[in-house]
Amino acid sequence: MGGVNMYISSVETYLLGTNITNKELGELINFKPQLIEKLFGNYGRHFSTDILTGKINNNTSDLISIVLRKLIEKNKNSHHDIDFIITSTATPDHLLPTSINEACYKLGIKNIETYQIIGGCSGAVQALNLAKYILKSGLHKKGILVGVECSNKFLNLLDSGNQKTDTREIVNYVLFGDGVGGCILSSEETRNSLTINEVSYKYIGLDEKIGQLANWKGTRENMNHSPMLQEEYKLIEKIVPELTQDSFKSFLSENNLKISDKMWLMPPQLSGKMVDVICKKIEFPETHILSRVADIGNCANAALFFQLKEFFDVANDGEDGIAISIESSRWLTSRVHVKKGGKCAK
C-alpha cells in the first residue's frame, strides 16, 4: 500500500422492497422464467420502481442517504470526524447536482469533501483507489465510500414495447438490480477492522468492442441516440472469465500465496452462471466463494460492498479475501486484497 495503512471499520448495505422473482419479471418482459435461470443463473433482484404500479419509490440520492445514515449511526462521533465521502455509480439522478451532494443536503451534512465517480462494475474499486491517495496525503484520516445503483431512468418495466426490444437491451432487465452499500474507511485501525493490503485498477486497452453501454439523452431530437442500456452478453461471457483468471493468478504469484481454506474469493458479479464458470475455471472451492448476484442481481457499484459485508461476517482473523471486478464498458480490471483482523492479522 505504499506506506499508508487503510482499514475498513464498518460495512453496511441496503436492498429496497421485496425480491422480484424470475416469474414476476418474466411476465413483464415476455421472457420465460426457466430460461432466465438456465441462461443466467439469476433467481431474484430488487428494483426501486414498483413493478405493479410503476411508482418510483427511491432515487439514487435516497439510497445514498439510507446507507450514509446507517454508517454514521455506527460511527461514535456521528459525521463530525468524517473528512470525505466518495460515491461511485453508473446511474446518477442528474449530471448536476451530483447524487452524493443531494444526499448530504437531505441529511444536513455540510463542510465536507465530496466526490462522485461515474463508472461501472469497477467503480467501487476506483473509489477505494482514490481514498487510498487521499489518506496517503496525510491531510485526512477518515472517509466514507458508497456504491449505488438505481435503474429508474434506464429500465422501463411497464413498457408494452419490451416484447419487441433488442435482446441486448432486454438482458439488462434480467441481469441487473438496484442496491446500495458503503463502508467507513480510515488510516487508523479499530477493533475487528479489515486491513486493505492492495487496491489495483487499470484500463487494459483490450482490442474489443464495447461490452456494456449506459447512455444518457438530452433534448435534441436530431441526434442518433443509442439505447439507454446495451449489453454484449456473449462477448462478456467469453472474456470476463479469462481476465478474472489472469488477475487471480497474478495475485497468487505476486503475494506468493496458494489457494487454501483461509482464503475467500469475491468474484465478478455479472450473473450467477458467470460466477460458476469463473470459479470452476480457476478451481476455487465453492465453500469459500462470496457471491450475491444470483439472489439480488448485478448491483454494479454496490456489489463489492455486499461481498465485503459477507467477508466481515464469515471470515476469521488472519484470513484473506480477494475481490476481482471486470468492467466490460471499455474493458477495465480491478482487484482488492483484504485481510480480516487489522494489523495484528498481517
Side-chain angles (χ1 to χ4, degrees):
M1 292 291 297
V4 61
N5 295 320
M6 197 155 67
Y7 306 97
I8 294 175
S9 61
S10 180
V11 182
E12 289 293 338
T13 58
Y14 177 76
L15 293 167
L16 49 162
T18 57
N19 189 284
I20 299 167
T21 66
N22 288 343
K23 184 177 185 298
E24 292 169 317
L25 181 64
E27 289 174 354
L28 285 173
I29 63 174
N30 194 32
F31 209 110
K32 292 182 179 179
Q34 299 90 339
L35 216 56
I36 296 174
E37 181 181 335
K38 180 179 179 180
L39 294 177
F40 307 106
N42 286 9
Y43 303 93
R45 70 287 298 155
H46 295 251
F47 290 129
S48 50
T49 299
D50 188 310
I51 66 168
L52 298 179
T53 66
K55 178 186 176 183
I56 295 175
N57 295 316
N58 295 98
N59 61 21
T60 299
S61 62
D62 292 333
L63 296 183
I64 296 171
S65 300
I66 289 169
V67 85
L68 277 179
R69 187 179 291 112
K70 292 177 75 173
L71 287 166
I72 287 168
E73 286 175 355
K74 286 199 167 185
N75 188 46
K76 65 179 181 179
N77 294 316
S78 184
H79 66 272
H80 301 296
D81 65 343
I82 301 296
D83 301 310
F84 62 90
I85 305 173
I86 306 173
T87 293
S88 61
T89 184
T91 55
D93 294 324
H94 315 283
L95 293 179
L96 291 173
T98 61
S99 297
I100 178 56
N101 288 337
E102 279 292 282
C104 287
Y105 177 79
K106 291 174 182 179
L107 295 178
I109 300 173
K110 302 177 181 180
N111 301 314
I112 190 170
E113 289 184 19
T114 58
Y115 304 87
Q116 182 162 300
I117 293 171
I118 302 298
C121 295
S122 68
V125 184
Q126 292 181 50
L128 267 174
N129 211 34
L130 174 57
K132 175 180 72 176
Y133 290 115
I134 292 174
L135 294 175
K136 188 176 181 179
S137 74
L139 298 175
H140 298 311
K141 292 183 177 180
K142 186 183 288 188
I144 289 178
L145 305 188
V146 178
V148 59
E149 299 301 351
C150 186
S151 61
N152 294 331
K153 290 188 176 183
F154 295 89
L155 302 181
N156 187 357
L157 292 163
L158 301 183
D159 185 359
S160 59
N162 280 339
Q163 297 185 15
K164 300 177 182 178
T165 303
D166 190 310
T167 305
R168 291 176 298 176
E169 294 180 63
I170 279 293
V171 71
N172 293 287
Y173 291 78
V174 174
L175 292 175
F176 290 101
D178 294 350
V180 61
C183 69
I184 297 177
L185 195 68
S186 175
S187 58
E188 298 177 350
E189 183 181 1
T190 58
R191 188 172 177 268
N192 296 325
S193 59
L194 302 182
T195 302
I196 301 178
N197 287 337
E198 178 200 6
V199 181
S200 65
Y201 156 77
K202 59 186 175 182
Y203 161 68
I204 57 177
L206 202 63
D207 188 18
E208 289 285 355
K209 61 182 176 181
I210 294 171
Q212 171 72 48
L213 182 142
N215 201 9
W216 66 276
K217 296 181 180 180
T219 58
R220 289 185 59 174
E221 296 182 359
N222 62 337
M223 298 182 71
N224 183 22
H225 291 297
S226 57
M228 290 297 284
L229 282 180
Q230 191 166 298
E231 178 109 358
E232 298 287 348
Y233 187 75
K234 287 297 182 183
L235 180 64
I236 293 169
E237 199 173 39
K238 172 189 172 185
I239 293 176
V240 168
E242 295 174 358
L243 294 179
T244 304
Q245 184 181 41
D246 290 344
S247 180
F248 186 67
K249 282 183 175 179
S250 296
F251 165 74
L252 293 179
S253 176
E254 291 166 13
N255 292 276
N256 196 27
L257 291 173
K258 293 182 179 180
I259 296 175
S260 74
D261 60 1
K262 293 186 177 181
M263 182 182 293
W264 298 82
L265 177 65
M266 293 168 263
Q269 297 289 275
L270 297 167
S271 73
K273 181 181 177 182
M274 191 92 70
V275 168
D276 291 340
V277 170
I278 288 169
C279 294
K280 287 177 182 175
K281 191 175 183 67
I282 63 178
E283 299 179 331
F284 201 90
E286 291 183 14
T287 55
H288 277 57
I289 296 169
L290 301 177
S291 176
R292 296 290 311 278
V293 65
D295 303 315
I296 66 174
N298 179 359
C299 298
N301 279 275
L304 175 63
F305 297 101
F306 283 94
Q307 292 172 296
L308 285 173
K309 186 167 179 59
E310 279 207 58
F311 181 74
F312 231 123
D313 293 340
V314 303
N316 296 314
D317 282 356
E319 294 186 340
D320 292 287
I322 172 66
I324 297 174
S325 179
I326 308 296
E327 182 177 324
S328 58
S329 58
R330 264 298 178 194
W331 304 104
L332 306 100
T333 181
S334 57
R335 190 171 72 209
V336 180
H337 174 205
V338 296
K339 189 177 283 285
K340 181 73 176 289
K343 286 187 292 186
C344 61
K346 283 186 177 180

